[in-house]
Amino acid sequence: MAFLSKFRRYVILLQLAAVALLPPSQNGLVVHAASHIRGGATASNGHNILDDSHAGIDASEEERRLQTAENRMLYCGAPGRCSENTLVAPADQPNAVRCCTTDKSLGWPDKCISSRTPIVYGESNVPGCYNDKTFSEAVVICTAAGARLCNGDELVDRCTRGTGCGFNKVLSWGCSADSLSCQVDAECCNGNCVGGTCTAVGGPVTGSPAKSPTASPVTDSPTKSPVASPVTGSPTTTPTGNPSKQPSTSPINPTNVPVGSPSKAPSTKPVSSASPSTSPSDQPSKVPTSIPSSAPTSKALVIAGNNGSPVEAFPLAECQGDCDNDGDCQGELLCYQRTGTEQVPGCTGLGVSAKDYCASRSDTSLLFLRGDNGSPGANFPLGLCEGDCDSNSDCQGTLICKQRTEVEEVLGCNGEGASGEDYCRYPVLELVGNNGWSGSDFPLRDCEGDCDNDSECAGSLRCFARDGTEAVPGCDGAGNSATDYCAVKSATDLWIVGDEGLPAGAFPLGVCEGDCDSNFDCEGTLICEQRGGVELVPGCSGLGTSAKDYCRYPSLTYAGNNNSPVENFPLSVCEGDCDNDGDCESLLQCFQRTAFEPVPGCLGAGTFGRDYCASRPTANTLFLKGDNRLPSANFPLKLCEGDCDSNADCVGTLACFQRTGDEVIPGCDGAGTSGEDYCYPISPQPTTSPTLEAGKPTPSPNDFGATYVPGDLSVPCDNGMLTLSKGMNCAKLTSVGQPVQLSNGSFSSQTWHSRADGAGVIPHPTDGGWYYVSNSETSSSDGGGAGSLCFDANGGVIGYEQTLTGTTDNCGGGKTYWNTWVTCEEDGSLGHCHEVDPFTGYTKKVNVVAQGGNYESFAYDNTDPDVEARFFTTEDSSNGALTRYTPHPNAFGTGNPYDILSSANGVYNYLVLNTADGTFSWSPNIADGEISASALFPNSEGIDVHNRILNFVSKVKKELFTLDLDAGTWTKTSTVSGAFNLQPDQLARIMGDSEVLYFCEDGGSACDIHGRDSTGQYFTIVRGDGYSTETTGLAFSPDNQFMYMAFQGNSNVYSFWREDGLPFNGVVAYTKYHAT
């Protein structure tokens, strides 16, 4: 029956859609073509039938008289706040949509203020806010939500007020009175469309669609038109003693939740009280008798038991604790989850801190705490108005997480909620600040405004610029005119980011970005699509802003052949027909085709078999260079080139990867052309870095066995993508979006995360193996968090899983001395640090920083003579202070190391460098730390503490700062030396004879790994010849036999080892330094 109910709803929607496409004279819904009249406009065809003192039920006869197929009723969402409380208007006039239902399972609030209205649940966001729909369109919207249009009593009694769309001051469509023509039940006030006419069937005419229990189910009625079958507004057709409420001992039909609705499915656990009678009564009551006539008296919080003991105390009553989940509570009570002494709705007192209590949530729009940090797992993702969320991924469906610092209003929800806690809400446009006022709200989150640029938006959100009320992608409602809002930008969304070259940071513009004036405003080979209105932009989605111009990929164009006409050669991007790379402009390559294969970076199909010039982003990008060994100059094919037919078509040790579709090709980027075959590296495989079978490298049989010469860049690796120091070898372990190949030949079930960044190695506590924990510097919607590669004791890869999710822009981090990983978010005011234990799966936000920021790297010092341990965190901001965190002494005595960073009452201090005498101090005032950072070490990133010496780098200043923590002095040295002239990022120390401090390099065209020894000399360990992206994730295995690093752009991860079998901290033959 559940399937049939959902199927019938889709049938109704299809029929309505088909009807709506007919001309107005034929569709049977509306035929009036009068001019549009807004809410309270005065016109000959708009009749105000009620004044402020005469509303609702007394006018029902007048409403029936005035309504026709051409004219329908409009009602004010909050009487007295519109220019007219009630109006009859043409059915084709655009107005607001609000829906009502008696079906509690939809999760809508009950906000009616009058006892004359039965138990009715109303909603404006269904989901989505609509203030410009005709009557027939409004019917379709409410039908899709599993509800109906509201009647006059319900709208006048404010049953839909405050439900998230701001429609209290506008007129909304009301349902049709008895005897009017109809198509579906949702159109009728009584909920019954019989034979094309709204007809009362044993129920009240006041708008409750509940059927009389004595009536036969409507689906069996032979007199009812098929399209008039009722939408499943009631959970079941089985009559009950209380038709307005589903018996709580029966599961609620999941098909009653509309598709895409983020409303949480109600609990199906039985009510501990007596089961409701299933015998039908003669007449259903409008108001359930179980509802008391007066408001109940609040109860004091009390602890009655814990973990199900004593048995006689469970299930717990209202305001009793300690509950762990909803199953610990009686009836429909829910377990209100707390981390402190948050106020429990309907209860008095503070109770015991961090204890959870059973509470009533009869109003589903009431702000309600259901958990924190993803626990309890059964409550996540959270539903509407539920908290505490940390990001949008904690919320159901399209809901977004409203971030708060105190008790800011949450649109669509009631109550203040717990101060500082965050709640899930609908993605309705919301104005929360402008030009930095209401500064605590900046950076802005999803669907919040007014932003002026991307920097005012959190994480990877972008600022969507508007001239009027253009639709903001992923957000509902019109918002404030000419106000700009932060939103998630997909690759094809038309998006205004600047105009006339301003702001400078937005130019050149990317694909589908505007407003451009010429091709010079566009990035790379993109071109500017000029528009006079809202013409479609090829390759982009949406209409964008009228008369604004956007950058797009160029279309395939035939410009000549065989070097004729000569003035067209060499060919530009997306031009053909080329025969070889020499026919194309510099940096372009000739993309060879046999039919209509898509050309990278170009739009359109072009001419059958013609070849076109295109840009190839990297040597790893899949690219067609020929077929059947033609043109011969391109064969044998190089890395990631096609189409090959056998290994003989590939150069050197490359092999031909045969495909039937879009199979992922190891070592290559992109999808390529479906069904075409490409050359790829079969050796070394990811597990050829010593595996179970191979064992660790064996030292050479001489006095030291040292053949490793750091700085002597003479060993090519990964088909020339890297050049290594003499005596090294490497293997690529994985790439973004690819499963990780394991040492037994199988693959991981999860794919490797994007934008790999800071990483650390955590020893396995029992088997001698280890974990490589790698951050993902991307938004939570794209994954974020951190993932862990698991290695056996011989360095073979045996597993991979995403360890932390739901965080944003995880950049750097560091290890703790109890062997966990601390990952830090570079997310503005929302950025924090989280502890991750890849062995146990433990994750938690920790207290190492006092406020949100763009945090980078983390280090510890557990040799301080004054305290048990201190912890240090850098911030990648122009005034980002270096934070020193000292936990409360009690945090070290619990026996649980997880408490060290998560316990309260720790002390924060901030680094202040004294330039006069070379000393430093730690100030309790963050402003002092910010001033010092701004002047001397802006945008600090990598940090390391060893033997009471603290090293950190300022990537902007390109300087390494060294602090002697015992002497209280500091020095700095330049990191610019030889090829190492970019921005230093992460640090890793190799302890032992060589005492080498290793650096990653942030950005540019020569991103490498460098070292600095104890004499202050710099040298290059690995050079990334085939990359132009940030090197990240530098880390070493516990025995220093393996070095790991990643290239962020395509998230390629490499393992390195010494051919002489010695660890990286062992003896070196000699060191080749950079020239200074």
Side-chain angles (χ1 to χ4, degrees):
M1 289 299 294
F3 168 77
L4 290 177
S5 297
K6 181 176 283 189
F7 177 76
R8 287 174 54 243
R9 181 179 297 173
Y10 285 132
V11 169
I12 292 169
L13 288 174
L14 288 172
Q15 290 170 328
L16 281 171
V19 169
L21 291 173
L22 295 175
S25 61
Q26 301 176 32
N27 62 24
L29 292 178
V30 292
V31 297
H32 192 76
S35 59
H36 292 174
I37 305 170
R38 268 296 174 203
T42 305
S44 59
N45 59 353
H47 307 279
N48 180 15
I49 64 169
L50 300 175
D51 58 29
D52 289 348
S53 62
H54 185 70
I57 198 166
D58 296 334
S60 59
E61 291 299 326
E62 180 68 2
E63 291 175 18
R64 275 191 283 273
R65 183 184 68 80
L66 289 173
Q67 290 184 72
T68 65
E70 300 173 349
N71 298 302
R72 301 290 178 160
M73 293 304 304
L74 293 168
Y75 300 92
C76 184
R81 301 187 70 181
C82 307
S83 57
E84 304 284 359
N85 280 340
T86 310
L87 194 73
V88 62
D92 63 350
Q93 173 181 308
N95 283 288
V97 181
R98 286 181 158 182
C99 305
C100 289
T101 183
T102 56
D103 182 0
K104 184 179 180 180
S105 72
L106 293 188
W108 294 0
D110 174 16
K111 294 192 172 186
C112 303
I113 61 175
S114 172
S115 60
R116 71 181 177 184
T117 309
I119 301 300
V120 169
Y121 308 99
E123 186 59 77
S124 302
N125 196 319
V126 286
C129 298
Y130 307 95
N131 62 359
D132 58 351
K133 300 301 179 184
T134 65
F135 178 80
S136 60
E137 290 170 337
V139 171
V140 170
I141 290 168
C142 290
T143 300
R148 56 171 172 80
L149 288 174
C150 303
N151 67 29
D153 291 346
E154 293 159 350
L155 288 168
V156 170
D157 284 349
R158 304 186 183 184
C159 297
T160 57
R161 78 191 193 282
T163 52
C165 290
F167 288 170
N168 287 348
K169 297 181 181 181
V170 300
L171 295 169
S172 302
W173 287 114
C175 53
S176 301
D178 291 354
S179 75
L180 289 180
S181 62
C182 58
Q183 296 284 326
V184 293
D185 290 352
E187 191 174 342
C188 302
C189 293
N190 53 46
N192 301 297
C193 181
V194 180
T197 303
C198 292
T199 306
V201 182
V205 184
T206 54
S208 172
K211 308 293 188 288
S212 169
T214 59
S216 300
V218 176
T219 55
D220 296 333
S221 174
T223 62
K224 198 163 188 180
S225 168
V227 296
S229 300
V231 175
T232 53
S234 176
T236 177
T237 56
T238 304
T240 67
N242 183 358
S244 65
K245 187 175 183 181
Q246 171 75 13
S248 56
T249 55
S250 300
I252 292 178
N253 183 351
T255 62
N256 285 331
V257 181
V259 176
S261 171
S263 300
K264 201 166 187 176
S267 171
T268 59
K269 62 186 176 69
V271 178
S272 59
S273 56
S275 300
S277 170
T278 57
S279 302
S281 62
D282 293 334
Q283 179 64 34
S285 170
K286 283 186 179 181
V287 182
T289 57
S290 60
I291 296 181
S293 57
S294 60
T297 304
S298 296
K299 305 178 181 64
L301 293 174
V302 60
I303 295 294
N306 188 21
N307 295 325
S309 179
V311 174
E312 60 272 16
F314 285 79
L316 301 169
E318 187 175 11
C319 303
Q320 289 184 348
D322 176 29
C323 55
D324 296 318
N325 52 61
D326 297 343
D328 287 342
C329 301
Q330 293 180 11
E332 294 185 355
L333 299 177
L334 302 177
C335 185
Y336 188 88
Q337 305 281 341
R338 312 196 307 168
T339 56
T341 56
E342 297 88 347
Q343 182 65 47
V344 180
C347 306
T348 60
L350 299 178
V352 179
S353 179
K355 295 296 185 181
D356 310 320
Y357 295 84
C358 297
S360 173
R361 195 188 182 201
S362 56
D363 180 358
T364 55
S365 64
L366 182 68
L367 293 175
F368 202 93
L369 286 180
R370 300 285 285 148
D372 187 30
N373 290 325
S375 180
N379 291 352
F380 283 78
L382 302 168
L384 180 65
C385 305
E386 294 180 349
D388 173 39
C389 56
D390 295 316
S391 66
N392 293 350
S393 63
D394 284 339
C395 302
Q396 293 179 14
T398 59
L399 296 180
I400 59 177
C401 184
K402 169 66 176 179
Q403 303 283 342
R404 313 194 309 167
T405 55
E406 296 180 348
V407 290
E408 297 90 336
E409 178 187 6
V410 181
L411 284 182
C413 302
N414 288 326
E416 291 185 344
S419 179
E421 301 289 6
D422 310 319
Y423 296 85
C424 298
R425 71 169 179 91
Y426 286 126
V428 181
L429 293 176
E430 179 183 13
L431 179 62
V432 300
N434 189 19
N435 293 326
W437 64 258
S438 190
S440 61
D441 291 321
F442 283 79
L444 303 169
R445 305 294 299 187
D446 299 45
C447 307
E448 293 181 348
D450 178 22
C451 56
D452 295 319
N453 50 62
D454 292 345
S455 67
E456 294 187 352
C457 299
S460 60
L461 297 177
R462 303 285 300 276
C463 184
F464 188 87
R466 310 196 307 168
D467 291 332
T469 57
E470 298 91 341
V472 178
C475 302
D476 298 327
N480 293 53
S481 182
T483 298
D484 309 325
Y485 295 87
C486 297
V488 176
K489 182 186 184 304
S490 73
T492 60
D493 285 330
L494 289 177
W495 205 277
I496 294 294
V497 298
D499 190 17
E500 296 184 349
L502 295 175
F507 286 79
L509 303 170
V511 65
C512 302
E513 293 181 347
D515 177 29
C516 57
D517 297 318
S518 69
N519 294 349
F520 292 105
D521 287 336
C522 300
E523 192 174 67
T525 59
L526 300 179
I527 62 175
C528 183
E529 178 77 9
Q530 303 284 339
R531 310 195 308 167
V534 290
E535 299 89 341
L536 294 178
V537 178
C540 302
S541 58
L543 298 177
T545 303
S546 180
K548 294 294 186 181
D549 310 319
Y550 296 86
C551 298
R552 67 169 178 90
Y553 289 115
S555 300
L556 293 177
T557 304
Y558 178 71
N561 189 19
N562 294 324
N563 210 39
S564 177
V566 67
E567 61 269 17
N568 288 352
F569 283 78
L571 300 170
S572 184
V573 65
C574 302
E575 291 183 346
D577 176 31
C578 57
D579 296 318
N580 51 61
D581 295 348
D583 286 340
C584 303
E585 290 179 348
S586 176
L587 303 179
L588 300 180
Q589 296 185 28
C590 185
F591 188 86
Q592 303 283 338
R593 311 197 308 167
T594 57
F596 290 112
E597 294 88 348
V599 180
C602 303
L603 301 176
T607 304
F608 181 87
R610 295 285 189 188
D611 310 319
Y612 295 85
C613 297
S615 174
R616 189 180 184 191
T618 71
N620 290 70
T621 303
L622 293 174
F623 203 89
L624 285 182
K625 296 291 288 183
D627 188 27
N628 294 324
R629 300 192 69 85
L630 292 175
S632 59
N634 290 350
F635 284 79
L637 299 167
K638 299 182 182 66
L639 177 66
C640 302
E641 293 180 349
D643 175 38
C644 56
D645 297 317
S646 68
N647 293 352
D649 288 339
C650 302
V651 70
T653 60
L654 297 180
C656 185
F657 191 98
Q658 303 284 338
R659 308 197 304 173
T660 58
D662 295 320
E663 296 91 337
V664 173
I665 300 180
C668 299
D669 301 329
T673 302
S674 181
E676 300 289 6
D677 311 320
Y678 295 84
C679 297
Y680 79 109
I682 59 171
S683 178
Q685 286 295 322
T687 55
T688 56
S689 56
T691 64
L692 273 171
E693 294 76 18
K696 295 180 181 178
T698 302
S700 304
N702 55 38
D703 289 342
F704 298 105
T707 62
Y708 171 47
V709 185
D712 183 357
L713 297 171
S714 57
V715 180
C717 189
D718 192 17
N719 293 287
M721 296 296 291
L722 306 177
T723 300
L724 315 181
S725 293
K726 183 179 179 180
M728 288 180 66
N729 205 340
C730 86
K732 187 166 73 172
L733 300 182
T734 188
S735 297
V736 61
Q738 295 186 10
V740 179
Q741 186 172 4
L742 310 182
S743 59
N744 62 5
S746 63
F747 290 87
S748 63
S749 59
Q750 298 182 23
T751 59
W752 182 249
H753 53 267
S754 62
R755 292 185 61 78
D757 209 312
V761 168
I762 305 298
H764 192 287
T766 61
D767 67 5
W770 58 87
Y771 299 91
Y772 177 74
V773 187
S774 166
N775 291 343
S776 176
E777 192 183 18
T778 186
S779 67
S780 58
S781 61
D782 293 327
S788 299
L789 282 171
C790 184
F791 295 85
D792 62 25
N794 290 313
V797 184
I798 59 174
Y800 168 72
E801 66 176 11
Q802 192 74 6
T803 313
L804 174 68
T805 59
T807 56
T808 294
D809 288 338
N810 294 74
C811 191
K815 293 167 54 177
T816 65
Y817 58 85
W818 54 94
N819 285 323
T820 59
W821 173 248
V822 173
T823 173
C824 297
E825 296 176 285
E826 196 172 0
D827 194 19
S829 66
L830 301 176
H832 283 275
C833 296
H834 303 257
E835 186 175 3
V836 175
D837 188 336
F839 178 66
T840 64
Y842 169 85
T843 63
K844 186 176 179 66
K845 184 168 72 175
V846 291
N847 298 327
V848 296
V849 292
Q851 63 185 33
N854 292 318
Y855 295 111
E856 270 286 339
S857 298
F858 165 91
Y860 66 86
D861 176 23
N862 62 343
T863 62
D864 193 306
D866 299 324
V867 295
E868 186 80 17
R870 299 188 196 271
F871 303 88
F872 304 88
T873 308
T874 59
E875 183 175 0
D876 186 7
S877 296
S878 60
N879 65 339
L882 194 155
T883 302
R884 185 185 74 178
Y885 174 67
T886 307
H888 190 276
N890 293 342
F892 297 98
T894 66
N896 182 359
Y898 296 153
D899 292 338
I900 296 175
L901 299 183
S902 61
S903 296
N905 302 317
V907 177
Y908 300 96
N909 296 103
Y910 305 94
L911 177 64
V912 176
L913 299 180
N914 187 342
T915 58
D917 58 5
T919 61
F920 66 87
S921 60
W922 297 97
S923 170
N925 187 350
I926 190 173
D928 295 337
E930 290 174 340
I931 292 171
S932 185
S934 178
L936 299 173
F937 52 94
N939 301 88
S940 57
E941 289 207 344
I943 189 170
D944 170 82
V945 181
H946 179 57
N947 291 337
R948 299 284 291 151
I949 300 297
L950 185 152
N951 289 288
F952 72 96
V953 293
S954 167
K955 72 176 186 181
V956 172
K957 294 284 189 178
K958 299 177 184 176
E959 292 174 331
L960 171 70
F961 290 80
T962 300
L963 277 61
D964 187 325
L965 297 177
D966 288 328
T969 59
W970 65 277
T971 59
K972 68 177 181 178
T973 57
S974 172
T975 60
V976 178
S977 181
F980 187 24
N981 55 12
L982 299 172
Q983 295 182 341
D985 194 352
Q986 299 152 6
L987 297 180
R989 176 178 295 279
I990 300 300
M991 283 73 74
D993 296 333
S994 60
E995 282 293 316
V996 175
L997 190 65
Y998 284 66
F999 293 81
C1000 279
E1001 204 163 8
D1002 185 359
S1005 59
C1007 291
D1008 313 315
I1009 298 176
H1010 304 275
R1012 177 181 182 269
D1013 68 8
S1014 58
T1015 68
Q1017 298 292 325
Y1018 290 91
F1019 46 91
T1020 299
I1021 308 296
V1022 176
R1023 189 175 68 213
D1025 296 321
Y1027 293 95
S1028 59
T1029 183
E1030 180 179 347
T1031 50
T1032 65
L1034 179 62
F1036 295 84
S1037 62
D1039 57 5
N1040 290 322
Q1041 288 279 358
F1042 298 98
M1043 178 171 70
Y1044 303 102
M1045 56 85 69
F1047 288 97
Q1048 188 174 75
N1050 47 18
S1051 221
N1052 287 353
V1053 180
Y1054 288 89
S1055 171
F1056 303 91
W1057 63 96
R1058 289 173 55 161
E1059 290 283 9
D1060 55 23
L1062 295 174
F1064 276 96
N1065 64 322
V1067 176
V1068 297
Y1070 65 92
T1071 299
K1072 182 176 181 178
Y1073 298 103
H1074 287 310
T1076 57

